[in-house]
Amino acid sequence: MRIGIIGLGHVGLPTAAALASIGHDVAATDVDGEKIALLSDGRVPFYEPGLDELVTEGTAAGRLRFSQDPADVVPGAEVVFICVGTPPTAGGEASLAAMESAGETIARHATGSVVVVEKSTVPAGTAERLRAAIRRYRRDLEVLIVSNPEFLREGRAVEDSLRPDRILVGADAPEALATMRRVYEPLLELGARWIETDLRTAELAKHASNAFLALKISYANALARICELAGADVIDIAEVMGADPRIGPDFLRAGLGYGGFCFPKDLVAFERLADRLGYRFPLLAEIARINDEAIDAAFQKVESVLWNLEGKRVTLLGLAFKPGTDDIRFAPALTLARKLLDGGANVVGTDPQAGVPAKAEVPDLEVVEDPYDALSGAHCAVVCTEWPEYRALDLARVRRTMAFPVMVDARNVFEPMDMAAAGFTHLPTGRRPIEQAGT
Ligand code: UGA
């Protein structure tokens, strides 16, 4: 099928590459000319494991093309996916300006009837607005709107796009559903679950899913605080809870909280939507409050163990909002970095992928590539992102290079017994601390 993609970010690019990989003829556009130049040169503008290979495979096969000009992308496309950003406005609602302009682009360039797919995360009711906007720009265009929210995770975007657990399609017209089935047929054959519903339900299901995942994380983080007060172990509790199939083991990892460009903004946007519809949903704000508290808790551990932050060197292991990405948007590590800098500490950060963007975001942060160099002379280290590289650190070497052997383990990557044996003061999250005399 001829498919057009508008918007080549963390959702649009994997979607484009995956659709090409399952046999479609995909043309994709973005307003960012630099991004198009990189892609046309065979380079992926952000770090996402396996994505460069998938893009190269698609372009080499002649099934994936990039152009800044929508006239190369929209005309002749049977289906156009809108994958533009919906960043928060000052009031926290999702900004839909890019959605409208994508609608206008489609209206101006479509050459025949077209199925327009909303992939971006949007508030319920957006599809109707989008349809009206397209009609306003082009009254005669035959257009069917579909909501097809994306559930892919950064760092796993390739496998999530090629092997999704579910494909959610909301539409009012049966022809639109039939077209979407043809788009996804190869993935359905591989076992993806097909769920079809109406437009508003599909749109709302995405906010409902992300908010619930965030709720699980905040629940685990609140439990971690209680475990620290009670002298209990949050990892064991999560295992007990997770063994119940009604709860499930995923997303119960206590730590420094969630970040990224999805959960924080989607939670606020969902709350604003509920408000606008006339339902007060304070649970959503509480999830975000507990998430902020996780960063405060890590900060307090550093402060209480070091006594004075002034003149102390604190090393942050991991800056990206999670492993497997160079994305630092809403990264808890950077919020912690700013707090420590405000408190007078010298803050050093290291990350296998996100050093450069983190430095651009927090210029006072010293960024050092090698973790051992970053730890050299540190009075305290904080594990902010659970990259496998940190779990594999040679603890004896780390112990020797640090000024004080103090590890605030905000992602619970180290086993307390190993840390005790290596002579560290180990302050994990929701687990019993180990304090070494003299630190
Ligand atoms: C999230 C959802 O998982 C995707 O299904 C969704 O498609 C995407 O948002 C989106 O709306 O586009 P993503 O933001 O890539 O995906 O990241 P996650 O893997 O969900 O992790 C989010 C945050 O939660 C990370 O900061 C992670 O470190 C944190 N987390 C996750 C925890 O603190 N504890 C956990 O147990 C799990």
Side-chain angles (χ1 to χ4, degrees):
M1 296 170 77
R2 280 285 315 275
I3 293 181
I5 306 275
I6 300 180
L8 287 167
H10 290 271
V11 169
L13 187 55
T15 302
L19 290 172
S21 151
I22 60 173
H24 297 299
D25 176 11
V26 181
T29 187
D30 195 290
V31 287
D32 181 346
E34 246 173 73
K35 199 179 267 183
I36 296 293
L38 277 176
L39 285 165
S40 305
D41 201 30
R43 284 180 295 157
V44 168
F46 49 85
Y47 176 69
E48 184 62 56
L51 187 57
D52 39 5
E53 287 90 336
L54 202 66
V55 169
T56 309
E57 179 196 303
T59 45
R63 285 198 302 268
L64 180 58
R65 288 173 289 117
F66 303 102
S67 168
Q68 199 185 346
D69 187 354
D72 296 330
V73 170
V74 178
E78 201 176 334
V79 181
V80 178
F81 283 79
I82 303 183
C83 307
V84 298
T86 52
T89 62
E93 299 207 15
S95 162
L96 300 173
M99 288 296 295
E100 182 179 352
S101 87
E104 182 185 351
T105 301
I106 295 168
R108 293 204 190 289
H109 295 282
T111 45
S113 68
V114 60
V115 172
V116 173
V117 185
E118 218 178 53
K119 256 252 176 265
S120 314
T121 302
V122 292
T126 302
E128 282 93 338
R129 298 302 302 261
L130 181 63
R131 183 189 291 126
I134 294 176
R135 290 249 165 86
R136 197 173 301 139
Y137 292 108
R138 178 106 167 263
R139 198 166 279 282
D140 64 316
L141 185 67
E142 247 181 78
V143 57
L144 296 175
I145 309 283
V146 166
S147 164
N148 170 220
E150 184 50 63
F151 295 106
L152 65 78
R153 294 159 292 180
E154 282 180 34
R156 295 187 182 195
V158 169
E159 62 180 280
D160 284 353
S161 309
L162 291 175
R163 296 237 168 205
D165 44 19
R166 63 206 188 283
I167 296 172
L168 170 62
V169 176
D172 295 339
E175 314 89 274
L177 292 170
T179 303
M180 293 307 287
R181 254 188 189 278
R182 281 201 289 125
V183 170
Y184 285 120
E185 201 52 57
L187 299 181
L188 297 174
E189 277 164 17
L190 291 176
R193 180 167 170 193
W194 173 261
I195 304 176
E196 61 183 43
T197 182
D198 60 84
L199 281 167
R200 287 188 174 215
T201 305
E203 289 171 330
L204 199 56
K206 170 70 191 235
H207 271 141
S209 294
N210 273 5
F212 195 80
L213 290 170
L215 167 71
K216 283 188 93 176
I217 298 169
S218 280
Y219 192 86
N221 280 328
L223 267 182
R225 300 285 85 71
I226 297 173
C227 284
E228 285 173 10
L229 296 167
D233 190 299
V234 76
I235 293 192
D236 289 350
I237 293 183
E239 190 182 340
V240 173
M241 289 173 61
D244 183 334
R246 291 170 303 176
I247 299 174
D250 296 337
F251 277 65
L252 287 177
R253 268 180 291 114
L256 201 54
Y258 59 78
F261 205 56
C262 300
F263 290 173
K265 81 172 170 61
D266 288 355
L267 223 61
V268 183
F270 192 20
E271 200 195 351
R272 296 291 180 277
L273 172 71
D275 253 5
R276 193 152 49 75
L277 294 170
Y279 180 71
R280 272 194 65 247
F281 203 167
L283 177 63
L284 299 177
E286 187 57 15
I287 295 170
R289 189 195 62 76
I290 294 171
N291 198 54
D292 294 343
E293 200 177 71
I295 301 174
D296 294 342
F299 176 80
Q300 277 157 21
K301 280 177 191 157
V302 177
E303 201 179 34
S304 97
V305 74
L306 292 182
W307 187 21
N308 292 301
L309 290 178
E310 209 81 32
K312 300 277 175 31
R313 185 174 163 91
V314 179
T315 299
L316 305 184
L317 294 171
L319 300 166
F321 84 95
K322 68 171 187 178
T325 178
D326 58 0
D327 196 343
I328 45 106
R329 292 176 296 175
F330 294 93
L334 298 194
T335 308
L336 180 63
R338 288 192 191 93
K339 271 174 155 326
L340 291 165
L341 287 163
D342 288 348
N346 301 319
V347 186
V348 186
T350 182
D351 191 284
Q353 295 293 336
V356 173
K359 177 77 187 168
E361 185 70 21
V362 186
D364 289 341
L365 177 71
E366 182 187 337
V367 172
V368 175
E369 206 177 313
D370 180 75
Y372 294 102
D373 292 344
L375 287 160
S376 168
H379 299 96
C380 172
V382 186
V383 184
C384 295
T385 316
E386 63 278 32
W387 286 96
E389 285 86 336
Y390 303 142
R391 206 164 264 135
L393 283 171
D394 173 348
L395 291 176
R397 191 174 157 198
V398 173
R399 167 88 176 77
R400 281 196 304 275
T401 198
M402 289 179 75
F404 300 165
V406 177
M407 184 71 73
V408 174
D409 193 353
R411 293 289 183 185
N412 286 335
V413 305
F414 297 115
E415 274 312 311
M417 299 289 279
D418 298 341
M419 295 306 275
F424 278 88
T425 282
H426 181 228
L427 305 175
T429 305
R431 314 187 79 185
R432 277 180 287 281
I434 292 161
E435 312 213 9
Q436 303 284 345
T439 59

